[in-house]
Structures are given as structure tokens and as C-alpha cells.
Amino acid sequence: MGNRSSLLLREEEIAQIQQETGFTPSQIERLYSRFTSLDRGDCGTLSRDDFLRIPELAINPLGERIVNSFFQVAFKMYDLDNDDMISKDELLAILHMMVGTNISEEQLNSIAERTILEADEDGDQMISFEEFCKALQRTDVEQKMSIRFLN
Ligand code: CA
Ligand code: CA
């Protein structure tokens, strides 16, 4: 990471979404830019409900599937070592990238610990994709742990 344009969909991600949804690359690009423009004026936060409010998705029986594909992209952004689990260290690394040096190490550490605590259902101190999706769907957690697109 470290490349600030890395938030654009990569070709392999487009290919994966295309395979899963049957959308063309240009349709996917268009939806993706709609997604990123859904931020309601504050800090690039998108919730699952925001995704599902998109008219094209609401009327499309594959809407849920497409949203899940984007969740997978978001999950992979956190899962730096690609083992399908988000560890506290990975959360910390992402937090570092998001907030830079404005917050003390101690505060970041407690944010990461709290996030794991809230999302971790089976108590293994890691967030699986399933736990990640569930956490995003719980309204109270949603505000704290929404997908943040770096920009
Ligand atoms: Ca991992
Ligand atoms: Ca877990």
C-alpha cells in the first residue's frame, strides 16, 4: 500500500467482481464511483445501507451480492498478509495510515483493541470476513467501524 491511488479498483478486483456479478467492467467502474460519491459530506464513511440505497442495486437481484463483493475488497484492504483474518496488528497498521501522527500510539492501540473486541464473536482475537460483515451491519458499531476509503 502507501500508494494513494490504490483505492481505485484494481484490474483483478474488477475481474473478480465481474465474474461474480456478470457486470461489465464499465458498469462496475460506474457503480464504484457512485459508491465513493455517496459519502454524505463527512470523512468518507460508507455504510452497507448506503450501498443498498443505490437505485441500481435496489432493483437488481444481485445487489446484495455486489455489496458483498465490495465488502470483500474492503476486507482485503485490512487483511495485509492475506490470511483471511484481520489481526490487531493489521488494524493498527491501517489506523496509522488513516490518522497519521495525530493520535498517540496508546490511543490507536485502544481503538484497535476495542474494534477487535466488538467484532470478534468467537474470541480468537481476529476478525474473520463473516465477523467483519456482521460488525458492519450492526448499527451501533457501524458508526465506529464503517468502511473508510482513504483519499
Ligand atoms: Ca491478516
Ligand atoms: Ca474472530
Side-chain angles (χ1 to χ4, degrees):
M1 299 196 97
N3 177 359
R4 293 202 166 248
S5 68
S6 67
L7 273 235
L8 294 172
L9 281 176
R10 290 196 303 266
E11 272 180 32
E12 73 241 39
E13 289 163 345
I14 291 174
Q16 192 198 341
I17 294 167
Q18 190 184 358
Q19 198 183 18
E20 288 174 355
T21 63
F23 275 61
T24 67
S26 70
Q27 285 174 313
I28 293 166
E29 297 269 24
R30 205 161 61 232
L31 280 169
Y32 188 75
S33 72
R34 287 285 299 280
F35 288 179
T36 53
S37 69
L38 278 178
D39 172 20
R40 300 195 199 103
D42 53 27
C43 62
T45 303
L46 294 174
S47 73
R48 187 186 182 83
D49 286 342
D50 287 334
F51 286 144
L52 289 171
R53 260 195 292 276
I54 298 171
E56 285 93 320
L57 292 185
I59 57 165
N60 187 315
L62 287 170
E64 184 80 12
R65 192 77 195 87
I66 296 169
V67 169
N68 279 338
S69 297
F70 280 99
F71 270 42
Q72 267 159 22
V73 172
F75 184 80
K76 283 183 201 148
M77 272 168 49
Y78 286 85
D79 183 18
L80 301 174
D81 66 1
N82 239 342
D83 67 350
D84 293 326
M85 296 293 235
I86 299 172
S87 66
K88 191 183 126 190
D89 285 345
E90 285 166 339
L91 265 183
L92 268 177
I94 297 289
L95 285 170
H96 269 290
M97 284 187 250
M98 291 196 301
V99 301
T101 53
N102 299 326
I103 299 186
S104 75
E105 197 66 32
E106 211 169 273
Q107 284 171 301
L108 284 182
N109 209 45
S110 93
I111 292 170
E113 273 173 6
R114 218 167 344 134
T115 306
I116 299 264
L117 206 69
E118 281 168 1
D120 182 23
E121 295 193 332
D122 60 6
D124 65 355
Q125 309 294 313
M126 311 272 265
I127 303 175
S128 65
F129 181 64
E130 199 178 305
E131 287 167 341
F132 180 79
C133 291
K134 279 191 194 162
L136 287 174
Q137 285 171 69
R138 286 197 294 265
T139 4
D140 56 330
V141 180
E142 201 170 80
Q143 287 161 353
K144 294 174 218 148
M145 209 195 130
S146 339
I147 312 172
R148 281 166 191 280
F149 289 99
L150 316 174
N151 48 37

